[in-house]
Amino acid sequence: LEKYSPETRKQKQERLRSAASSTDKKASPKPVSIKFGLNHVTYLVEQKKAKLVLIANDVDPIETVVFLPTLCKAMGIPYAIVQCKARLGKLVHKKTATCVALTDFTHGAAELTTIARNLGQENEKYHPTWRSKNLFLI
């Protein structure tokens, strides 16, 4: 997914300068990138613009992202829970990120489409049980 990392400030300046200096007056398309941030990802899922959602498992407090898998399942968007929020942050050039979403596949579209399909099938098989036998001991 590193191919989809957002462009840095320097890359953006170079892209805009080359577009400004070109003679064809046609704006270069904005590169497809990973979107991050809980509010932004939630919006993308609600609008059905997200194609794949990755959620970190070590978010504190967990209540901030606990609704996201249910929302993704309701909207029919594949999601995965990854091991560390620092890994997601590395993708978006930040320290940490609670969740990221991919809105379009351009690099290796077939590969990422199969990943998204497999994640969707895996999520259908997995139904977590929230009740524990130990909770009701008196």
Side-chain angles (χ1 to χ4, degrees):
L1 290 175
E2 291 178 1
K3 300 173 193 174
Y4 295 101
S5 291
E7 59 187 357
T8 61
R9 290 181 184 183
K10 192 173 191 177
Q11 291 171 340
K12 184 176 180 179
Q13 284 178 352
E14 290 174 7
R15 179 177 58 89
L16 293 176
R17 283 189 181 140
S18 66
S21 65
S22 67
T23 58
D24 59 359
K25 300 292 182 187
K26 189 174 184 181
S28 63
K30 188 175 180 182
V32 176
S33 65
I34 294 175
K35 308 296 182 185
F36 62 98
L38 185 60
N39 289 338
H40 191 62
V41 170
T42 304
Y43 174 78
L44 291 172
V45 171
E46 288 173 349
Q47 299 296 317
K48 293 189 178 182
K49 292 181 181 179
K51 304 286 190 230
L52 176 66
V53 176
L54 301 175
I55 306 164
N57 71 342
D58 60 344
V59 178
D60 188 40
I62 193 68
E63 290 83 13
T64 57
V65 294
V66 78
F67 69 94
L68 205 51
T70 307
L71 181 64
C72 289
K73 186 178 261 187
M75 294 296 179
I77 296 171
Y79 68 93
I81 298 174
V82 297
Q83 191 169 15
C84 186
K85 62 184 179 181
R87 287 184 181 183
L88 294 180
K90 193 178 209 181
L91 288 174
V92 294
H93 308 298
K94 302 283 182 189
K95 284 184 182 178
T96 60
T98 57
C99 55
V100 297
L102 197 61
T103 56
D104 198 11
F105 300 142
T106 56
H107 304 293
E111 177 185 349
L112 287 172
T113 305
T114 57
I115 289 172
R117 188 178 330 113
N118 291 341
L119 286 174
Q121 292 171 356
E122 192 67 30
N123 291 337
E124 288 297 321
K125 286 190 249 179
Y126 179 69
H127 296 289
T129 57
W130 297 100
R131 295 182 187 168
S132 176
K133 295 177 183 176
N134 298 333
L135 290 177
F136 299 108
L137 293 177
I138 295 175

